[in-house]
Amino acid sequence: MKRFKLLGFVFPLTGLVVLLLSLLISGASGGSSNTKYQWDIVNLDFATMTLSQGGHASAFATHSGDSAHTGKITVTGHGTFRSNSGNPQDVTGGGTWQTFDGSGNPTGSGNYQVTGFVDFHVAPGSLPPSITDLSGNKADVRSGLAVFKIAYDDGSKGTLVVSCDLPVGSPNDMFEGITATKGYVDYWERDPAVAGVNANRTNFHELH
């Protein structure tokens, strides 16, 4: 009788040790894959073909059933995050925002802060040798798609989608630029990056 009681204590204790070890191992592996990234809306100096932080990007709102632009948002931005949605994402960053009506008249401006991480997917892609990257380590630049929760300083909330389509080797179904929501307005149509125009360019860098 005493033997069975002893075994009864030994087996649960052994199981508990195994469970704790497995949790520690999985936690360590999860932490190692919880990669830290930097995101930027960047400038491109066409005279020197140099990328730097501090650019701006825009997106448009349209009326239901109509392709005419009814509003526009322009943002700057920079920040960091961790890519594993199962772990703390340590989001930082933010930037400035400005909105316009369908005629291009300003309707508001201010700052926004990134408050949460929704999703991130890294994609193939790289920069050509002709481009100098001052926004981060060029060897660590990445294409990808990130979605963040943001808070505007006028009290409204929304989301910011940052998409980077690097010029070498990125999939054809990606886009370069941003889209955003602000309150009930969905600025879903990105303003495309155009050759010779310093706007609507983004990138990600893997941090070590």
Side-chain angles (χ1 to χ4, degrees), residues 39 41 75 112 146-150 158-162 178-181:
W39 66 272
I41 300 172
V75 298
Y112 72 89
V147 184
F148 304 106
K149 296 178 182 178
I150 61 176
T159 57
L160 176 66
V161 176
V162 180
I178 64 98
T179 64
T181 64

Side-chain angles (χ1 to χ4, degrees), residues 51-111:
L51 290 171
S52 60
Q53 295 177 342
H56 65 276
S58 301
F60 300 98
T62 61
H63 187 266
S64 179
D66 193 341
S67 60
H69 295 157
T70 57
K72 176 182 176 181
I73 189 168
T74 298
V75 298
T76 65
H78 161 85
T80 61
F81 64 95
R82 293 191 179 275
S83 61
N84 190 334
S85 59
N87 291 275
Q89 287 82 44
D90 301 331
V91 292
T92 69
T96 64
W97 64 272
Q98 188 171 11
T99 53
F100 306 84
D101 64 20
S103 299
N105 301 307
T107 57
S109 64
N111 299 301

Side-chain angles (χ1 to χ4, degrees), residues 12-33:
L13 182 59
T14 304
L16 180 61
V17 171
V18 172
L19 177 62
L20 289 173
L21 286 174
S22 66
L23 288 173
L24 287 172
I25 292 171
S26 64
S29 62
S32 63
S33 65

